[in-house]
Every structure is written in structure tokens, then in C-alpha cells.
Amino acid sequence: MTTTLIFMAILMLVIAGWILKQTMNSQPWEASIEPPMGDSFSGRSLPQPDAKLGLFVFLAVVTSLFSLFISAYMMRMELGDWRPLDEPSLLWFNTAALVLSSLALQWARVATTREQINTVRNGMLIGGFFALAFMVGQLMAWQQLVSTGYLAHSNPANAFFYLITGLHALHLLGGLVVWSLTTLKLLKGVELARVGLSVELCAVYWHFLLVIWVILFSLLLST
């Protein structure tokens, strides 16, 4: 369990390091330079788009949130009334679906840099399909547990399982909103230059949620 928290700490350090690097690379004194003529001058000194910086700040917050839940999980399981449940084997298939979803979005991300619009569209559609498959699979796993008597109120271990997996699914659901808006623009034929950043941010977010899920799944299996 301590290993789980170490992984979360490393993930937090990576995200915080990336954000700090953007700040250190900024050159605020450039604000005193005479701006060029025309509309090309933005006035910003940070090298990354606001959306990307905002995403990484959000990921830092989410990492802290899951770290707190994992700490609470580890402290609660030390009490005598903790009875671990048998995780459904379906979770392994769900994990594979999330891996495929992340790979498909990375495929779309790489295709964006190569300006391969059809590949980007296909990668986004495949990634979304497997993400939805993961969500459906998680719901089916919940139904299996409920049908076999693992109710949330009957044991703290059950309650934590539903809480942690539900919180992860909620974050993935939020990502699907952005994914659907980006994919809809691609299907309508919007230029790749206008959606390239959204595709990249979707891929980063999916990779992050995959790492979080692997950590959570490992924790559930080991307790």
C-alpha cells in the first residue's frame, strides 16, 4: 500500500515539475518590450496555451484528491470490521479497454502533428468507443457485485470500492464531454489546426486517467 502512495507522489511531482518548468521558462521582462504592429502580439510570456496549463493544474488537483482517498482507504482497512470483497474478473477486461482507448487517442495525437485528418478522426472514434466500453464494463461490474450481495452499506470495503471506482468514472465522464465536442467538430470537417490542441489534451487526460486506474486497481487487488 505504501508503494501506491509512492506512485501517487511521483505522479504529483511530475505534474508539479511540468507546471513549474513553464513558469521558470517565462520571461516577464518581455512585457516591457515594444509590441510589434499587427494582431500577432498576444502579450503572454508563458510558452504553453492556457488550456494546457489549466489541464495540468487540474491534474495536480485530481492527483491530490485521489491521494487523499487512497490514504483514507489504507487507514480504514486497519480496523477490525474491514472485509475485502472479491473484485469481479470483468475489471481486467475493463482495464484492457481503457488501455486501448488511451493508445487510440495517442494514435490520433501523433496523426495531428502529421496533419493526417482521417487518422485523427479514426483514432478519436476508436478511443471514444473503448472509453465507453470501459464505462459500461464498470457499470456491469457494479451490478455483479450488487447481485452477489456486496452492497455499499454492508461493509466499509464495499463502500470504498464504489466510491473510488465511481469517482474515477466521473472524471472519465467529464473527459468524454470534451472528447464528444472535439470529435463532433472533426466529423463536421473543422480544420485540424482548430482542434489539434483539443486532441492533444484529450490524449494527455486519457493517459493520466489510465495511470490513476492502474494504481487504484492494483490497490484493490492487493487488499
Short mmCIF file of all heavy atoms in Angstrom, two decimals, residues 123-188:
data_model
loop_
_atom_site.label_atom_id
_atom_site.label_comp_id
_atom_site.label_asym_id
_atom_site.label_seq_id
_atom_site.Cartn_x
_atom_site.Cartn_y
_atom_site.Cartn_z
N GLY A 123 -8.84 7.69 -34.93
CA GLY A 123 -8.27 7.49 -33.60
C GLY A 123 -9.20 8.00 -32.51
O GLY A 123 -9.36 7.35 -31.46
N MET A 124 -9.81 9.14 -32.75
CA MET A 124 -10.74 9.69 -31.76
C MET A 124 -11.97 8.80 -31.61
O MET A 124 -12.46 8.56 -30.48
CB MET A 124 -11.15 11.11 -32.16
CG MET A 124 -10.02 12.13 -32.06
SD MET A 124 -9.51 12.44 -30.35
CE MET A 124 -10.89 13.42 -29.75
N LEU A 125 -12.49 8.31 -32.74
CA LEU A 125 -13.69 7.45 -32.67
C LEU A 125 -13.39 6.13 -31.95
O LEU A 125 -14.17 5.68 -31.11
CB LEU A 125 -14.20 7.19 -34.09
CG LEU A 125 -14.87 8.38 -34.79
CD1 LEU A 125 -15.18 8.05 -36.25
CD2 LEU A 125 -16.14 8.80 -34.07
N ILE A 126 -12.25 5.54 -32.28
CA ILE A 126 -11.88 4.27 -31.62
C ILE A 126 -11.62 4.50 -30.13
O ILE A 126 -12.04 3.70 -29.27
CB ILE A 126 -10.64 3.66 -32.31
CG1 ILE A 126 -10.98 3.27 -33.75
CG2 ILE A 126 -10.13 2.45 -31.55
CD1 ILE A 126 -9.78 2.82 -34.58
N GLY A 127 -10.92 5.58 -29.83
CA GLY A 127 -10.65 5.88 -28.42
C GLY A 127 -11.92 6.09 -27.62
O GLY A 127 -12.05 5.61 -26.49
N GLY A 128 -12.87 6.80 -28.22
CA GLY A 128 -14.14 7.01 -27.54
C GLY A 128 -14.93 5.73 -27.37
O GLY A 128 -15.57 5.51 -26.32
N PHE A 129 -14.87 4.85 -28.38
CA PHE A 129 -15.58 3.57 -28.30
C PHE A 129 -15.08 2.74 -27.11
O PHE A 129 -15.87 2.22 -26.32
CB PHE A 129 -15.39 2.80 -29.61
CG PHE A 129 -15.87 1.38 -29.55
CD1 PHE A 129 -17.23 1.09 -29.66
CD2 PHE A 129 -14.98 0.33 -29.36
CE1 PHE A 129 -17.69 -0.23 -29.59
CE2 PHE A 129 -15.42 -0.98 -29.29
CZ PHE A 129 -16.78 -1.26 -29.40
N PHE A 130 -13.76 2.63 -26.98
CA PHE A 130 -13.22 1.82 -25.89
C PHE A 130 -13.42 2.51 -24.53
O PHE A 130 -13.53 1.83 -23.51
CB PHE A 130 -11.75 1.52 -26.14
CG PHE A 130 -11.51 0.42 -27.13
CD1 PHE A 130 -10.96 0.67 -28.37
CD2 PHE A 130 -11.87 -0.89 -26.82
CE1 PHE A 130 -10.76 -0.35 -29.29
CE2 PHE A 130 -11.68 -1.92 -27.74
CZ PHE A 130 -11.12 -1.65 -28.97
N ALA A 131 -13.45 3.83 -24.53
CA ALA A 131 -13.73 4.53 -23.27
C ALA A 131 -15.16 4.24 -22.81
O ALA A 131 -15.42 4.01 -21.62
CB ALA A 131 -13.52 6.03 -23.45
N LEU A 132 -16.10 4.26 -23.78
CA LEU A 132 -17.48 3.93 -23.44
C LEU A 132 -17.60 2.46 -23.02
O LEU A 132 -18.38 2.13 -22.11
CB LEU A 132 -18.38 4.20 -24.65
CG LEU A 132 -18.59 5.69 -24.99
CD1 LEU A 132 -19.34 5.84 -26.31
CD2 LEU A 132 -19.36 6.40 -23.87
N ALA A 133 -16.81 1.58 -23.68
CA ALA A 133 -16.81 0.17 -23.28
C ALA A 133 -16.33 0.02 -21.85
O ALA A 133 -16.85 -0.81 -21.08
CB ALA A 133 -15.92 -0.63 -24.23
N PHE A 134 -15.33 0.81 -21.47
CA PHE A 134 -14.84 0.79 -20.08
C PHE A 134 -15.94 1.22 -19.12
O PHE A 134 -16.15 0.58 -18.07
CB PHE A 134 -13.64 1.72 -19.96
CG PHE A 134 -13.14 1.90 -18.55
CD1 PHE A 134 -12.30 0.96 -17.96
CD2 PHE A 134 -13.53 3.01 -17.79
CE1 PHE A 134 -11.86 1.12 -16.65
CE2 PHE A 134 -13.08 3.19 -16.49
CZ PHE A 134 -12.24 2.24 -15.92
N MET A 135 -16.66 2.28 -19.47
CA MET A 135 -17.72 2.77 -18.59
C MET A 135 -18.83 1.73 -18.43
O MET A 135 -19.32 1.48 -17.32
CB MET A 135 -18.30 4.07 -19.16
CG MET A 135 -17.32 5.22 -19.22
SD MET A 135 -16.96 5.92 -17.59
CE MET A 135 -18.49 6.80 -17.30
N VAL A 136 -19.23 1.12 -19.55
CA VAL A 136 -20.27 0.08 -19.49
C VAL A 136 -19.79 -1.10 -18.67
O VAL A 136 -20.53 -1.68 -17.86
CB VAL A 136 -20.67 -0.35 -20.92
CG1 VAL A 136 -21.61 -1.55 -20.88
CG2 VAL A 136 -21.31 0.80 -21.68
N GLY A 137 -18.52 -1.48 -18.87
CA GLY A 137 -17.95 -2.60 -18.12
C GLY A 137 -17.92 -2.32 -16.63
O GLY A 137 -18.19 -3.22 -15.81
N GLN A 138 -17.58 -1.09 -16.25
CA GLN A 138 -17.58 -0.74 -14.82
C GLN A 138 -18.98 -0.83 -14.23
O GLN A 138 -19.18 -1.30 -13.10
CB GLN A 138 -17.03 0.69 -14.63
CG GLN A 138 -15.55 0.86 -14.97
CD GLN A 138 -14.62 0.12 -14.04
OE1 GLN A 138 -14.41 -1.09 -14.20
NE2 GLN A 138 -14.06 0.80 -13.08
N LEU A 139 -19.97 -0.39 -15.01
CA LEU A 139 -21.36 -0.47 -14.54
C LEU A 139 -21.79 -1.93 -14.37
O LEU A 139 -22.46 -2.29 -13.38
CB LEU A 139 -22.28 0.25 -15.54
CG LEU A 139 -23.76 0.29 -15.18
CD1 LEU A 139 -23.98 1.00 -13.85
CD2 LEU A 139 -24.56 0.99 -16.28
N MET A 140 -21.37 -2.77 -15.32
CA MET A 140 -21.70 -4.20 -15.21
C MET A 140 -21.01 -4.83 -13.99
O MET A 140 -21.58 -5.70 -13.32
CB MET A 140 -21.28 -4.92 -16.49
CG MET A 140 -22.09 -4.53 -17.71
SD MET A 140 -21.46 -5.27 -19.25
CE MET A 140 -21.69 -7.01 -18.90
N ALA A 141 -19.78 -4.40 -13.70
CA ALA A 141 -19.07 -4.92 -12.52
C ALA A 141 -19.81 -4.53 -11.24
O ALA A 141 -19.92 -5.34 -10.31
CB ALA A 141 -17.64 -4.36 -12.51
N TRP A 142 -20.30 -3.30 -11.20
CA TRP A 142 -21.11 -2.87 -10.05
C TRP A 142 -22.34 -3.75 -9.90
O TRP A 142 -22.69 -4.18 -8.79
CB TRP A 142 -21.53 -1.41 -10.24
CG TRP A 142 -20.51 -0.40 -9.85
CD1 TRP A 142 -19.15 -0.56 -9.84
CD2 TRP A 142 -20.77 0.94 -9.41
NE1 TRP A 142 -18.55 0.59 -9.43
CE2 TRP A 142 -19.48 1.53 -9.16
CE3 TRP A 142 -21.91 1.70 -9.24
CZ2 TRP A 142 -19.36 2.85 -8.72
CZ3 TRP A 142 -21.79 3.01 -8.79
CH2 TRP A 142 -20.53 3.57 -8.54
N GLN A 143 -23.01 -4.02 -11.04
CA GLN A 143 -24.23 -4.83 -11.00
C GLN A 143 -23.93 -6.24 -10.52
O GLN A 143 -24.72 -6.84 -9.77
CB GLN A 143 -24.88 -4.85 -12.38
CG GLN A 143 -25.47 -3.51 -12.80
CD GLN A 143 -26.02 -3.52 -14.22
OE1 GLN A 143 -25.61 -4.34 -15.05
NE2 GLN A 143 -26.93 -2.62 -14.50
N GLN A 144 -22.79 -6.79 -10.93
CA GLN A 144 -22.40 -8.13 -10.47
C GLN A 144 -22.20 -8.14 -8.96
O GLN A 144 -22.64 -9.08 -8.26
CB GLN A 144 -21.12 -8.57 -11.17
CG GLN A 144 -21.28 -8.96 -12.63
CD GLN A 144 -19.98 -9.45 -13.23
OE1 GLN A 144 -18.99 -9.66 -12.53
NE2 GLN A 144 -19.97 -9.64 -14.55
N LEU A 145 -21.53 -7.13 -8.45
CA LEU A 145 -21.28 -7.07 -7.01
C LEU A 145 -22.58 -6.92 -6.22
O LEU A 145 -22.77 -7.57 -5.18
CB LEU A 145 -20.34 -5.90 -6.69
CG LEU A 145 -18.89 -6.09 -7.14
CD1 LEU A 145 -18.09 -4.80 -6.95
CD2 LEU A 145 -18.24 -7.21 -6.34
N VAL A 146 -23.47 -6.08 -6.71
CA VAL A 146 -24.75 -5.89 -6.01
C VAL A 146 -25.56 -7.18 -6.03
O VAL A 146 -26.17 -7.56 -5.01
CB VAL A 146 -25.55 -4.73 -6.67
CG1 VAL A 146 -26.97 -4.68 -6.11
CG2 VAL A 146 -24.84 -3.41 -6.44
N SER A 147 -25.58 -7.88 -7.17
CA SER A 147 -26.36 -9.11 -7.28
C SER A 147 -25.83 -10.23 -6.39
O SER A 147 -26.57 -11.14 -6.02
CB SER A 147 -26.39 -9.58 -8.74
OG SER A 147 -25.07 -9.92 -9.18
N THR A 148 -24.54 -10.17 -6.03
CA THR A 148 -23.96 -11.19 -5.16
C THR A 148 -23.90 -10.74 -3.69
O THR A 148 -23.25 -11.40 -2.87
CB THR A 148 -22.54 -11.55 -5.64
OG1 THR A 148 -21.76 -10.35 -5.81
CG2 THR A 148 -22.60 -12.30 -6.95
N GLY A 149 -24.54 -9.60 -3.40
CA GLY A 149 -24.66 -9.19 -2.01
C GLY A 149 -23.62 -8.23 -1.49
O GLY A 149 -23.60 -7.92 -0.30
N TYR A 150 -22.74 -7.75 -2.36
CA TYR A 150 -21.72 -6.78 -1.92
C TYR A 150 -22.32 -5.37 -2.00
O TYR A 150 -22.04 -4.61 -2.92
CB TYR A 150 -20.48 -6.88 -2.79
CG TYR A 150 -19.67 -8.14 -2.56
CD1 TYR A 150 -19.74 -9.20 -3.46
CD2 TYR A 150 -18.85 -8.26 -1.45
CE1 TYR A 150 -18.99 -10.35 -3.26
CE2 TYR A 150 -18.11 -9.41 -1.23
CZ TYR A 150 -18.18 -10.45 -2.14
OH TYR A 150 -17.45 -11.59 -1.93
N LEU A 151 -23.15 -5.04 -1.03
CA LEU A 151 -23.80 -3.74 -1.01
C LEU A 151 -22.90 -2.70 -0.34
O LEU A 151 -22.09 -3.04 0.54
CB LEU A 151 -25.14 -3.83 -0.29
CG LEU A 151 -26.12 -4.87 -0.85
CD1 LEU A 151 -27.39 -4.90 -0.01
CD2 LEU A 151 -26.43 -4.59 -2.31
N ALA A 152 -23.08 -1.45 -0.71
CA ALA A 152 -22.20 -0.40 -0.21
C ALA A 152 -22.31 -0.22 1.30
O ALA A 152 -21.32 0.04 1.98
CB ALA A 152 -22.51 0.91 -0.93
N HIS A 153 -23.52 -0.37 1.83
CA HIS A 153 -23.72 -0.11 3.25
C HIS A 153 -23.40 -1.32 4.14
O HIS A 153 -23.42 -1.20 5.36
CB HIS A 153 -25.17 0.31 3.50
CG HIS A 153 -26.16 -0.76 3.17
ND1 HIS A 153 -26.70 -0.90 1.90
CD2 HIS A 153 -26.71 -1.75 3.93
CE1 HIS A 153 -27.54 -1.91 1.90
NE2 HIS A 153 -27.56 -2.45 3.12
N SER A 154 -23.09 -2.46 3.52
CA SER A 154 -22.90 -3.67 4.33
C SER A 154 -21.48 -3.82 4.85
O SER A 154 -21.24 -4.59 5.78
CB SER A 154 -23.28 -4.91 3.51
OG SER A 154 -22.47 -5.00 2.34
N ASN A 155 -20.52 -3.08 4.25
CA ASN A 155 -19.13 -3.21 4.69
C ASN A 155 -18.32 -2.01 4.20
O ASN A 155 -18.53 -1.54 3.08
CB ASN A 155 -18.52 -4.50 4.12
CG ASN A 155 -17.14 -4.78 4.67
OD1 ASN A 155 -16.15 -4.33 4.12
ND2 ASN A 155 -17.09 -5.51 5.77
N PRO A 156 -17.40 -1.49 5.01
CA PRO A 156 -16.58 -0.33 4.57
C PRO A 156 -15.79 -0.62 3.30
O PRO A 156 -15.61 0.28 2.48
CB PRO A 156 -15.65 -0.10 5.76
CG PRO A 156 -16.35 -0.68 6.94
CD PRO A 156 -17.13 -1.86 6.41
N ALA A 157 -15.30 -1.85 3.13
CA ALA A 157 -14.54 -2.17 1.92
C ALA A 157 -15.41 -2.03 0.67
O ALA A 157 -14.96 -1.53 -0.37
CB ALA A 157 -13.98 -3.59 2.01
N ASN A 158 -16.67 -2.45 0.78
CA ASN A 158 -17.59 -2.30 -0.35
C ASN A 158 -17.83 -0.83 -0.67
O ASN A 158 -17.82 -0.42 -1.84
CB ASN A 158 -18.93 -2.97 -0.03
CG ASN A 158 -18.78 -4.43 0.30
OD1 ASN A 158 -17.71 -5.00 0.14
ND2 ASN A 158 -19.86 -5.05 0.77
N ALA A 159 -18.06 -0.05 0.38
CA ALA A 159 -18.33 1.38 0.18
C ALA A 159 -17.15 2.07 -0.50
O ALA A 159 -17.33 2.89 -1.41
CB ALA A 159 -18.65 2.04 1.52
N PHE A 160 -15.93 1.75 -0.06
CA PHE A 160 -14.75 2.37 -0.67
C PHE A 160 -14.59 1.93 -2.12
O PHE A 160 -14.16 2.73 -2.96
CB PHE A 160 -13.50 2.00 0.13
CG PHE A 160 -13.12 3.06 1.13
CD1 PHE A 160 -13.46 2.93 2.48
CD2 PHE A 160 -12.42 4.18 0.73
CE1 PHE A 160 -13.11 3.90 3.39
CE2 PHE A 160 -12.07 5.17 1.64
CZ PHE A 160 -12.42 5.02 2.98
N PHE A 161 -14.94 0.69 -2.43
CA PHE A 161 -14.83 0.23 -3.82
C PHE A 161 -15.74 1.07 -4.73
O PHE A 161 -15.30 1.56 -5.77
CB PHE A 161 -15.22 -1.24 -3.93
CG PHE A 161 -15.20 -1.77 -5.34
CD1 PHE A 161 -14.03 -2.29 -5.87
CD2 PHE A 161 -16.34 -1.73 -6.13
CE1 PHE A 161 -14.00 -2.75 -7.18
CE2 PHE A 161 -16.32 -2.19 -7.44
CZ PHE A 161 -15.15 -2.70 -7.96
N TYR A 162 -17.00 1.22 -4.31
CA TYR A 162 -17.94 2.00 -5.13
C TYR A 162 -17.52 3.47 -5.19
O TYR A 162 -17.66 4.13 -6.23
CB TYR A 162 -19.36 1.89 -4.56
CG TYR A 162 -19.96 0.51 -4.70
CD1 TYR A 162 -20.29 -0.24 -3.58
CD2 TYR A 162 -20.19 -0.04 -5.95
CE1 TYR A 162 -20.85 -1.51 -3.71
CE2 TYR A 162 -20.74 -1.30 -6.09
CZ TYR A 162 -21.06 -2.04 -4.96
OH TYR A 162 -21.59 -3.29 -5.09
N LEU A 163 -17.00 3.99 -4.08
CA LEU A 163 -16.61 5.40 -4.04
C LEU A 163 -15.43 5.68 -4.97
O LEU A 163 -15.47 6.61 -5.79
CB LEU A 163 -16.24 5.79 -2.60
CG LEU A 163 -15.72 7.22 -2.40
CD1 LEU A 163 -16.80 8.24 -2.78
CD2 LEU A 163 -15.27 7.44 -0.96
N ILE A 164 -14.38 4.85 -4.87
CA ILE A 164 -13.17 5.09 -5.66
C ILE A 164 -13.42 4.86 -7.14
O ILE A 164 -13.05 5.68 -7.99
CB ILE A 164 -12.02 4.20 -5.15
CG1 ILE A 164 -11.59 4.65 -3.76
CG2 ILE A 164 -10.84 4.21 -6.12
CD1 ILE A 164 -10.52 3.77 -3.14
N THR A 165 -14.06 3.74 -7.47
CA THR A 165 -14.32 3.46 -8.90
C THR A 165 -15.33 4.45 -9.48
O THR A 165 -15.23 4.83 -10.65
CB THR A 165 -14.83 2.02 -9.08
OG1 THR A 165 -16.01 1.84 -8.27
CG2 THR A 165 -13.78 1.01 -8.68
N GLY A 166 -16.30 4.86 -8.66
CA GLY A 166 -17.27 5.85 -9.14
C GLY A 166 -16.64 7.21 -9.39
O GLY A 166 -16.95 7.88 -10.37
N LEU A 167 -15.71 7.60 -8.51
CA LEU A 167 -15.02 8.88 -8.68
C LEU A 167 -14.16 8.87 -9.95
O LEU A 167 -14.13 9.86 -10.69
CB LEU A 167 -14.15 9.15 -7.46
CG LEU A 167 -13.50 10.53 -7.37
CD1 LEU A 167 -14.56 11.62 -7.28
CD2 LEU A 167 -12.56 10.60 -6.16
N HIS A 168 -13.51 7.75 -10.19
CA HIS A 168 -12.71 7.64 -11.41
C HIS A 168 -13.60 7.69 -12.65
O HIS A 168 -13.28 8.38 -13.64
CB HIS A 168 -11.92 6.33 -11.39
CG HIS A 168 -11.06 6.12 -12.60
ND1 HIS A 168 -11.51 5.45 -13.72
CD2 HIS A 168 -9.79 6.49 -12.87
CE1 HIS A 168 -10.55 5.44 -14.62
NE2 HIS A 168 -9.50 6.05 -14.14
N ALA A 169 -14.73 7.00 -12.60
CA ALA A 169 -15.65 7.01 -13.75
C ALA A 169 -16.21 8.41 -13.98
O ALA A 169 -16.43 8.82 -15.13
CB ALA A 169 -16.79 6.02 -13.50
N LEU A 170 -16.42 9.15 -12.90
CA LEU A 170 -16.94 10.52 -13.04
C LEU A 170 -15.94 11.40 -13.78
O LEU A 170 -16.35 12.22 -14.64
CB LEU A 170 -17.23 11.09 -11.65
CG LEU A 170 -17.88 12.47 -11.59
CD1 LEU A 170 -19.26 12.42 -12.24
CD2 LEU A 170 -17.99 12.96 -10.15
N HIS A 171 -14.66 11.26 -13.49
CA HIS A 171 -13.65 12.04 -14.19
C HIS A 171 -13.56 11.63 -15.66
O HIS A 171 -13.35 12.48 -16.54
CB HIS A 171 -12.29 11.86 -13.51
CG HIS A 171 -12.15 12.67 -12.26
ND1 HIS A 171 -12.58 12.23 -11.03
CD2 HIS A 171 -11.65 13.91 -12.04
CE1 HIS A 171 -12.34 13.14 -10.11
NE2 HIS A 171 -11.78 14.18 -10.70
N LEU A 172 -13.70 10.33 -15.91
CA LEU A 172 -13.69 9.88 -17.31
C LEU A 172 -14.91 10.41 -18.06
O LEU A 172 -14.83 10.78 -19.24
CB LEU A 172 -13.65 8.35 -17.37
CG LEU A 172 -13.50 7.74 -18.77
CD1 LEU A 172 -12.25 8.27 -19.46
CD2 LEU A 172 -13.46 6.23 -18.70
N LEU A 173 -16.04 10.47 -17.37
CA LEU A 173 -17.25 11.01 -17.98
C LEU A 173 -17.05 12.48 -18.38
O LEU A 173 -17.50 12.91 -19.44
CB LEU A 173 -18.42 10.87 -17.01
CG LEU A 173 -19.81 11.24 -17.54
CD1 LEU A 173 -20.19 10.32 -18.70
CD2 LEU A 173 -20.86 11.14 -16.44
N GLY A 174 -16.37 13.24 -17.51
CA GLY A 174 -16.06 14.63 -17.85
C GLY A 174 -15.16 14.71 -19.08
O GLY A 174 -15.34 15.59 -19.93
N GLY A 175 -14.20 13.80 -19.18
CA GLY A 175 -13.34 13.77 -20.36
C GLY A 175 -14.11 13.42 -21.62
O GLY A 175 -13.81 13.94 -22.70
N LEU A 176 -15.14 12.59 -21.48
CA LEU A 176 -15.94 12.22 -22.65
C LEU A 176 -16.74 13.40 -23.19
O LEU A 176 -17.06 13.43 -24.38
CB LEU A 176 -16.89 11.07 -22.28
CG LEU A 176 -16.24 9.68 -22.22
CD1 LEU A 176 -17.21 8.65 -21.65
CD2 LEU A 176 -15.77 9.25 -23.62
N VAL A 177 -17.05 14.35 -22.32
CA VAL A 177 -17.75 15.55 -22.80
C VAL A 177 -16.85 16.32 -23.76
O VAL A 177 -17.27 16.72 -24.86
CB VAL A 177 -18.16 16.44 -21.61
CG1 VAL A 177 -18.75 17.76 -22.11
CG2 VAL A 177 -19.17 15.72 -20.71
N VAL A 178 -15.59 16.54 -23.35
CA VAL A 178 -14.62 17.23 -24.21
C VAL A 178 -14.35 16.40 -25.46
O VAL A 178 -14.27 16.93 -26.58
CB VAL A 178 -13.32 17.50 -23.45
CG1 VAL A 178 -12.30 18.21 -24.35
CG2 VAL A 178 -13.59 18.33 -22.20
N TRP A 179 -14.21 15.08 -25.27
CA TRP A 179 -13.97 14.20 -26.43
C TRP A 179 -15.12 14.31 -27.45
O TRP A 179 -14.88 14.38 -28.66
CB TRP A 179 -13.85 12.76 -25.95
CG TRP A 179 -13.94 11.75 -27.08
CD1 TRP A 179 -12.93 11.33 -27.88
CD2 TRP A 179 -15.13 11.09 -27.54
NE1 TRP A 179 -13.39 10.44 -28.81
CE2 TRP A 179 -14.75 10.28 -28.63
CE3 TRP A 179 -16.46 11.10 -27.13
CZ2 TRP A 179 -15.66 9.48 -29.31
CZ3 TRP A 179 -17.37 10.32 -27.81
CH2 TRP A 179 -16.97 9.51 -28.89
N SER A 180 -16.36 14.31 -26.97
CA SER A 180 -17.52 14.36 -27.88
C SER A 180 -17.56 15.68 -28.65
O SER A 180 -17.86 15.70 -29.85
CB SER A 180 -18.81 14.14 -27.10
OG SER A 180 -18.99 15.17 -26.14
N LEU A 181 -17.24 16.79 -27.97
CA LEU A 181 -17.24 18.09 -28.66
C LEU A 181 -16.15 18.14 -29.73
O LEU A 181 -16.37 18.63 -30.84
CB LEU A 181 -17.02 19.21 -27.63
CG LEU A 181 -18.15 19.41 -26.61
CD1 LEU A 181 -17.76 20.47 -25.58
CD2 LEU A 181 -19.46 19.80 -27.30
N THR A 182 -14.96 17.61 -29.39
CA THR A 182 -13.85 17.60 -30.35
C THR A 182 -14.15 16.69 -31.53
O THR A 182 -13.91 17.04 -32.69
CB THR A 182 -12.56 17.13 -29.64
OG1 THR A 182 -12.31 17.97 -28.50
CG2 THR A 182 -11.37 17.21 -30.58
N THR A 183 -14.68 15.51 -31.24
CA THR A 183 -14.99 14.55 -32.31
C THR A 183 -16.09 15.09 -33.22
O THR A 183 -16.04 14.90 -34.45
CB THR A 183 -15.42 13.21 -31.71
OG1 THR A 183 -14.39 12.74 -30.83
CG2 THR A 183 -15.64 12.17 -32.79
N LEU A 184 -17.06 15.76 -32.63
CA LEU A 184 -18.14 16.34 -33.43
C LEU A 184 -17.59 17.38 -34.41
O LEU A 184 -18.02 17.44 -35.57
CB LEU A 184 -19.18 16.97 -32.50
CG LEU A 184 -20.49 17.44 -33.15
CD1 LEU A 184 -21.20 16.27 -33.82
CD2 LEU A 184 -21.40 18.09 -32.11
N LYS A 185 -16.64 18.18 -33.95
CA LYS A 185 -16.02 19.17 -34.84
C LYS A 185 -15.27 18.47 -35.98
O LYS A 185 -15.31 18.92 -37.13
CB LYS A 185 -15.07 20.06 -34.05
CG LYS A 185 -15.77 21.01 -33.09
CD LYS A 185 -14.75 21.84 -32.31
CE LYS A 185 -15.45 22.78 -31.33
NZ LYS A 185 -14.47 23.55 -30.52
N LEU A 186 -14.58 17.38 -35.65
CA LEU A 186 -13.85 16.64 -36.69
C LEU A 186 -14.82 16.07 -37.72
O LEU A 186 -14.54 16.09 -38.93
CB LEU A 186 -13.03 15.52 -36.06
CG LEU A 186 -11.77 15.95 -35.29
CD1 LEU A 186 -11.21 14.80 -34.48
CD2 LEU A 186 -10.71 16.46 -36.28
N LEU A 187 -15.93 15.54 -37.26
CA LEU A 187 -16.92 14.96 -38.19
C LEU A 187 -17.57 16.03 -39.05
O LEU A 187 -18.02 15.74 -40.16
CB LEU A 187 -17.98 14.20 -37.39
CG LEU A 187 -17.48 12.95 -36.65
CD1 LEU A 187 -18.60 12.34 -35.82
CD2 LEU A 187 -16.92 11.93 -37.63
N LYS A 188 -17.63 17.26 -38.54
CA LYS A 188 -18.22 18.35 -39.32
C LYS A 188 -17.22 18.96 -40.30
O LYS A 188 -17.58 19.86 -41.06
CB LYS A 188 -18.72 19.44 -38.37
CG LYS A 188 -20.00 19.08 -37.62
CD LYS A 188 -20.46 20.24 -36.75
CE LYS A 188 -21.78 19.92 -36.06
NZ LYS A 188 -22.24 21.03 -35.19
#
